[in-house]
Amino acid sequence: MSPASSSSSSRWCPTPEQLMILEEMYRSGIRTPNASQIQQITSHLSFYGKIEGKNVFYWFQNHKARERQKLRRKLGKQLQLQQQQQQQQQQLYYPLPLPHLFHYFDSPAASPLLFPQISSPNSAKFLPLQGGGGHEDASAQMMKYTWKVEKPSENVAEVETDNKKALMGKMYGRDWMMMVVDLVSPPPPNNNSSPCCAAAAHRPPLKTLELFPITATNLKEDNATTTPPPPTN
Amino acid sequence: MSPASSSSSSRWCPTPEQLMILEEMYRSGIRTPNASQIQQITSHLSFYGKIEGKNVFYWFQNHKARERQKLRRKLGKQLQLQQQQQQQQQQLYYPLPLPHLFHYFDSPAASPLLFPQISSPNSAKFLPLQGGGGHEDASAQMMKYTWKVEKPSENVAEVETDNKKALMGKMYGRDWMMMVVDLVSPPPPNNNSSPCCAAAAHRPPLKTLELFPITATNLKEDNATTTPPPPTN
DNA sequence: ATTGTATGAATGAAGG
DNA sequence: CCTTCATTCATACAAT
């Protein structure tokens, strides 16, 4: 794309203050700010440095995604462990997965020890993927949905997939606005011209900004894919 | 971000065996393993030392990127040279190529030889393709309108950037699994406790195993949380 | 010690 | 939202 033009530093990078505010907002429950929210956030943050709406947008997008994936990873691991244990018990019945594959191992040491972890009951965990069950193209990437471990035929269920989502209630636009307001007062329009991430900043004397009237609140009503909109409220 | 190095022990560093396996996998065509692949790779590699999913993930990410960038640089240089030569010749006729004509300078230097692997994809591309018509939450929508406009459509080469992408077909999970299986017999669970990069290790006698035939029916189709099942009608 | 390089990790930006 | 790419930061290690 951009041909490494020497002009303006291409990528936005949040100043410490901006980052902090963003994080605080996120913690407060904002996950997917809508247009007006983004705009306000942007204009607020723009006080601490150059920033655009899309930066805010992307930030939330990425932050949310990565937070989630982190969680997923964690859960996935736990799950895996649990499954392992379960499977270990089942190994009584399935001593060796796909014995006919084993002659590929020449070395005596390379036996089941090689795969301490997984070995699904009735399916080869060795070359599953595209093999029998046949799915999973490969365009996917890191921990998808909870490391989605293949469930053979046992119930095992994928409780994890959404319990997390269920856990975090939606509480967006409730009080997030007030925090747009608090949190440090903006320093003089410090236009950091450094390539990226001017790590400057002691924070200037606090000063309370005006509250902007909250109109937007959560009427988002995105009857989109997954996010279950607040039932009644 | 803020948390000063959350992970207690420093960075992960692949043991020689791990690295080797990873590289072998990469060579075999794996570039962007999906969740389950990563999972398995991880659990396999974990035999040779501490390793996490994200390590595998990052490794492939970085390796691919750097390989690419290396290539790019090389090609870029070649291109530059050729362009210069061409321009020198053309200078007879065009004292200075107008900037808006620049994208006409592309020299077909990149040869398909560079990408040996790509196999024939007769694979069906069943895309789940989100069920409904236009929805998408408001924020996203807004984004589209808001800064979708800025599409300056840079010219000035980047020829390599995507022609490569085009060239490389997707051939992932075809035969990568076979290597999960082969490659070295695990040494005693060498738990390297050194801060990072236990460069120790004589590697156990490697041996190349043969490939087992994999019926590589890779259909994507993993319907999980959000992706509504393909309409089927 | 200083500088250069390789690479794990992180994250902004898109694409779809 | 999910995936992928490009860039960048940080650090270990090598070469000087």
Side-chain angles (χ1 to χ4, degrees):
Chain A
M1 312 303 193
S2 48
S5 308
S6 48
S7 26
S8 54
S9 56
S10 32
R11 230 164 72 182
W12 165 75
C13 184
T15 71
E17 293 86 8
Q18 288 174 336
L19 181 59
M20 187 183 160
I21 297 179
L22 285 170
E23 280 172 343
E24 194 36 47
M25 283 174 171
Y26 186 89
R27 296 206 66 95
S28 90
I30 306 175
R31 298 173 3 178
T32 316
N34 59 30
S36 32
Q37 287 175 309
I38 288 185
Q39 240 171 327
Q40 297 181 66
I41 297 176
T42 301
S43 58
H44 179 216
L45 290 185
S46 71
F47 209 92
Y48 300 93
K50 190 169 160 298
I51 192 175
E52 292 175 68
K54 75 169 187 177
N55 301 132
V56 174
F57 171 75
Y58 281 136
W59 189 90
F60 277 98
Q61 207 69 41
N62 284 320
H63 195 70
K64 183 180 14 173
R66 278 157 185 158
E67 208 73 9
R68 189 183 311 139
Q69 103 186 171
K70 225 179 291 181
L71 245 179
R72 246 179 291 200
R73 209 161 33 214
K74 216 161 273 183
L75 286 177
K77 227 173 236 166
Q78 289 185 9
L79 248 196
Q80 187 181 317
L81 282 178
Q82 292 186 7
Q83 288 191 3
Q84 256 180 70
Q85 295 182 359
Q86 285 190 3
Q87 287 176 15
Q88 284 210 351
Q89 299 203 349
Q90 300 211 346
Q91 271 197 358
L92 296 175
Y93 312 100
Y94 308 91
L96 280 179
L98 292 194
H100 65 274
L101 284 180
F102 270 90
H103 59 264
Y104 287 103
F105 299 94
D106 269 332
S107 84
S111 290
L113 283 177
L114 260 172
F115 309 90
Q117 306 265 337
I118 27 70
S119 63
S120 66
N122 51 13
S123 69
K125 208 39 179 173
F126 290 176
L127 41 102
L129 299 181
Q130 303 75 20
H135 54 269
E136 212 71 38
D137 156 285
S139 52
Q141 204 192 354
M142 178 116 95
M143 2 10 213
K144 203 171 192 176
Y145 309 100
T146 322
W147 280 109
K148 184 164 194 175
V149 192
E150 292 228 34
K151 64 172 179 6
S153 53
E154 305 292 331
N155 43 19
V156 187
E158 57 240 16
V159 251
E160 71 296 8
T161 302
D162 50 6
N163 65 4
K164 171 183 14 72
K165 193 178 302 177
L167 282 177
M168 64 166 70
K170 308 186 51 151
M171 61 77 76
Y172 305 104
R174 189 171 56 70
D175 53 5
W176 76 272
M177 264 310 170
M178 46 192 81
M179 44 190 3
V180 172
V181 166
D182 67 14
L183 283 167
V184 289
S185 73
N190 170 17
N191 203 345
N192 68 345
S193 51
S194 55
C196 184
C197 279
H202 48 296
R203 86 184 46 167
L206 291 202
K207 156 182 154 194
T208 317
L209 298 179
E210 37 136 23
L211 308 174
F212 16 81
I214 311 176
T215 17
T217 49
N218 48 1
L219 291 182
K220 56 180 309 180
E221 233 35 275
D222 57 334
N223 42 359
T225 48
T226 42
T227 31
T232 41
N233 184 349
Chain B
M1 358 213 116
S2 41
S5 56
S6 49
S7 304
S8 49
S9 44
S10 28
R11 270 186 358 225
W12 164 77
C13 184
T15 72
E17 294 85 11
Q18 288 175 334
L19 181 60
M20 186 181 167
I21 297 179
L22 285 170
E23 279 172 344
E24 195 36 48
M25 283 174 173
Y26 186 88
R27 296 204 69 94
S28 92
I30 307 174
R31 326 164 71 107
T32 318
N34 60 30
S36 27
Q37 287 175 309
I38 289 184
Q39 210 268 359
Q40 298 180 64
I41 296 176
T42 301
S43 56
H44 178 213
L45 290 185
S46 72
F47 203 93
Y48 301 93
K50 191 168 157 300
I51 192 174
E52 293 175 68
K54 77 169 185 179
N55 302 132
V56 174
F57 169 75
Y58 282 136
W59 190 91
F60 276 99
Q61 209 69 40
N62 285 320
H63 197 70
K64 179 174 34 168
R66 273 149 191 166
E67 208 76 6
R68 193 179 332 172
Q69 138 195 149
K70 224 179 292 179
L71 245 178
R72 196 163 19 191
R73 253 198 288 255
K74 214 162 273 185
L75 285 178
K77 244 168 208 168
Q78 288 187 10
L79 271 189
Q80 259 188 356
L81 284 178
Q82 293 194 8
Q83 285 189 8
Q84 284 184 16
Q85 293 182 3
Q86 283 193 5
Q87 286 182 18
Q88 286 208 355
Q89 297 205 351
Q90 301 217 344
Q91 272 195 359
L92 298 173
Y93 312 100
Y94 313 94
L96 273 181
L98 299 181
H100 64 275
L101 287 182
F102 251 96
H103 54 263
Y104 287 97
F105 293 96
D106 68 333
S107 62
S111 76
L113 285 177
L114 279 168
F115 307 91
Q117 294 271 349
I118 28 137
S119 69
S120 67
N122 50 3
S123 57
K125 30 199 304 184
F126 307 108
L127 289 186
L129 200 46
Q130 308 262 42
H135 34 276
E136 206 101 27
D137 44 294
S139 53
Q141 211 67 29
M142 163 264 204
M143 300 314 300
K144 285 182 180 134
Y145 300 151
T146 308
W147 37 72
K148 203 68 173 190
V149 197
E150 48 187 1
K151 201 71 186 255
S153 75
E154 298 290 346
N155 40 20
V156 191
E158 92 173 303
V159 245
E160 73 294 12
T161 299
D162 51 4
N163 68 2
K164 176 174 16 59
K165 190 181 300 177
L167 282 177
M168 67 165 73
K170 305 178 64 132
M171 64 73 74
Y172 303 105
R174 186 171 60 73
D175 53 6
W176 75 274
M177 254 311 162
M178 48 191 85
M179 42 192 9
V180 173
V181 166
D182 68 14
L183 284 167
V184 291
S185 63
N190 170 16
N191 202 346
N192 69 345
S193 50
S194 53
C196 182
C197 283
H202 51 297
R203 70 191 55 171
L206 293 201
K207 71 182 50 175
T208 318
L209 299 178
E210 40 195 358
L211 323 172
F212 26 79
I214 300 179
T215 38
T217 18
N218 51 353
L219 314 180
K220 172 145 196 167
E221 204 36 61
D222 62 353
N223 43 9
T225 45
T226 46
T227 35
T232 47
N233 56 337

